[in-house]
């Protein structure tokens, strides 16, 4: 169950109903009126003591956090992707993921719910979705109404799949924020569409969700390897349809299991690093005109690492996982365990 508005409707009609739902329209207006929270670690020494414990989620990753251990969890860099939060209103257990394709929704939502839901728990599971701006080619009709087709862009099919999967569940979901598609889109004077927000964070103790962006100091630990792992996962059939599991909830640590990258990826990196920024955007992005400012730089840093370290075993000596323990709010150190 997600909302009474969606009873007996399917797919695109369900998404359209949610976009027009009074409660969600009001929630979107409030969300848009909220100042985006910019997450960054101050450079001054000793500043870590004032930084709240945080877990950051990259594209196609998920993390389930315990509010007793983690105060903030979030994600950003979403254009046609969806940042999704599911929170148990009784226990406060909170799951956050960055969904990038309908292909990962079925298994991915099950992964997200593994420690959040309980078959005997009557708690309402609050759901927040942010991202997936309106990238449809059709856009607005002459009468100003918004019409979508399942063939339009990347965002709409992903939103359909998420909503359908929630609606099929026997669990009690309540969508609190539906900041996607037209609710998360602004247009310039020439009619070009852009996301209003690229990310979100949730304060786990209260369940408050606000728009957010993260800088490099908070997208950790092991940023570059986690970005490389995303690309490598597409070549690993064992990971098909699954979100990438990185964070261990009870231990409050990150564990990046050994993975390999191919010489094909290294070759692509060698070629792509010489391309212009525009060529990189057109080649690697689902929304070239709407990416975050550091998108191209992040791609270049990934390619540079692959070129400097063509053998994946350098990152995983003896094929051991890379384990990171927390040393501060967003600071981590690699452990030998």
């Amino acid at each position: 169950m997600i909302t009474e508005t969606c009873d007996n409707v399917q797919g695109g009609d369900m998404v359209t109903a949610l976009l027009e739902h009074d409660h969600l329209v009001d929630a979107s207006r409030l969300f848009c009126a909220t100042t985006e929270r910019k997450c960054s670690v101050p450079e001054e020494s000793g500043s870590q003591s004032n930084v709240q414990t945080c877990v950051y989620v990259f594209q196609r990753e998920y993390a389930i956090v315990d509010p007793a251990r983690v105060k903030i969890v979030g994600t950003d860099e979403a254009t046609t992707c969806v940042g999704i939060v599911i929170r148990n209103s009784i226990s406060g257990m909170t799951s956050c993921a960055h969904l990038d394709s309908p292909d990962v929704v079925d298994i991915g939502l099950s992964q997200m719910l593994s420690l959040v839901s309980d078959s005997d728990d009557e708690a309402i599971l609050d759901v927040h979705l942010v991202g997936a701006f309106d990238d449809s080619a059709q856009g607005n009709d002459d009468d100003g109404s918004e019409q979508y087709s399942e063939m339009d862009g990347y965002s709409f099919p992903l939103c359909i799949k998420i909503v359908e999967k929630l609606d099929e569940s026997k669990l009690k979901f309540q969508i609190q924020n539906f900041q996607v598609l037209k609710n998360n889109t602004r247009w310039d004077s020439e009619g070009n569409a852009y996301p209003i927000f690229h990310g979100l964070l949730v304060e786990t103790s209260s369940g408050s969700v606000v728009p957010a962006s993260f800088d490099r100091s908070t997208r950790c630990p092991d940023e570059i390897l986690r970005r490389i792992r995303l690309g490598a996962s597409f070549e690993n059939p064992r990971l098909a349809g699954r979100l990438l599991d990185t964070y261990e909830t009870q231990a409050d640590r990150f564990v990046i299991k050994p993975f390999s990258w191919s010489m094909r990826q290294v070759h692509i990196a060698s070629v792509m690093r010489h391309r212009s920024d525009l060529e990189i955007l057109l080649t690697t992005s689902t929304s070239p005109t709407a990416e975050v400012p550091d998108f191209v730089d992040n791609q270049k840093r990934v390619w540079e690492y692959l070129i400097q370290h063509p053998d994946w075993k350098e990152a995983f000596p003896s094929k051991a996982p890379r384990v990171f323990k927390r040393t501060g709010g967003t600071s981590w150190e690699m452990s030998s365990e």
Side-chain angles (χ1 to χ4, degrees), residues 120-326:
D120 297 324
D121 193 346
E122 292 299 316
I124 299 293
L125 299 178
D126 291 327
V127 181
H128 306 261
L129 295 92
V130 174
F133 83 115
D134 179 8
D135 65 332
S136 66
Q138 186 171 349
N140 292 326
D141 277 356
D142 291 338
D143 62 359
S145 64
E146 194 79 16
Q147 294 187 358
Y148 297 99
S149 160
E150 291 192 29
M151 299 304 293
D152 288 335
Y154 295 90
S155 296
F156 191 54
L158 176 56
C159 292
I160 286 177
K161 185 67 175 180
I162 294 170
V163 169
E164 286 182 338
K165 186 65 177 177
L166 294 175
D167 192 55
E168 291 170 3
S169 176
K170 295 180 180 179
L171 297 172
K172 298 178 180 178
F173 293 104
Q174 181 64 54
I175 296 180
Q176 302 290 359
N177 279 298
F178 202 59
Q179 191 67 27
V180 296
L181 300 172
K182 69 175 184 178
N183 289 349
N184 194 45
T185 305
R186 59 182 178 85
W187 288 267
D188 65 16
S189 59
E190 297 180 356
N192 299 308
Y194 302 92
I196 299 174
F197 300 112
H198 292 87
L200 78 166
L201 66 76
V202 56
E203 297 178 349
T204 60
S205 58
S206 66
S208 174
V209 173
V210 298
S213 62
F214 298 78
D215 70 4
R216 196 179 301 175
S217 69
T218 51
R219 292 174 184 154
C220 54
D222 228 7
E223 177 208 359
I224 295 298
L225 275 177
R226 286 164 71 186
R227 291 185 186 277
I228 292 173
R229 184 179 61 166
L230 170 64
S233 70
F234 294 118
E235 298 184 358
N236 186 344
R238 291 180 299 176
L239 296 177
R242 301 185 64 85
L243 293 175
L244 299 171
D245 188 357
T246 304
Y247 175 74
E248 292 189 350
T249 305
Q250 301 305 327
D252 186 33
R253 66 178 189 174
F254 277 85
V255 178
I256 292 83
K257 298 176 182 176
F259 67 92
S260 62
W261 48 87
S262 64
M263 289 308 299
R264 174 179 172 274
Q265 287 175 270
V266 176
H267 173 71
I268 291 173
S270 299
V271 172
M272 290 299 298
R273 71 169 174 168
H274 297 297
R275 298 284 176 87
S276 68
D277 288 2
L278 178 58
E279 288 177 306
I280 291 171
L281 282 166
L282 292 173
T283 304
T284 62
S285 172
T286 59
S287 52
T289 63
E291 286 295 349
V292 293
D294 58 353
F295 178 85
V296 170
D297 180 61
N298 290 333
Q299 294 286 348
K300 290 179 178 179
R301 290 190 299 119
V302 164
W303 294 330
E304 190 61 33
Y305 185 96
L306 289 170
I307 293 166
Q308 296 294 327
H309 306 278
D311 185 355
W312 65 271
K313 297 184 185 69
E314 291 181 29
F316 299 98
S318 303
K319 298 183 179 180
R322 296 167 66 90
V323 180
F324 293 84
K325 292 186 176 181
R326 191 186 298 277

Side-chain angles (χ1 to χ4, degrees), residues 30-48:
L30 181 61
F31 198 82
C32 288
T34 303
T35 301
E36 182 181 77
R37 185 162 171 181
K38 299 184 182 298
C39 298
S40 178
V41 176
E43 296 181 359
E44 293 82 1
S45 87
S47 60
Q48 273 295 329

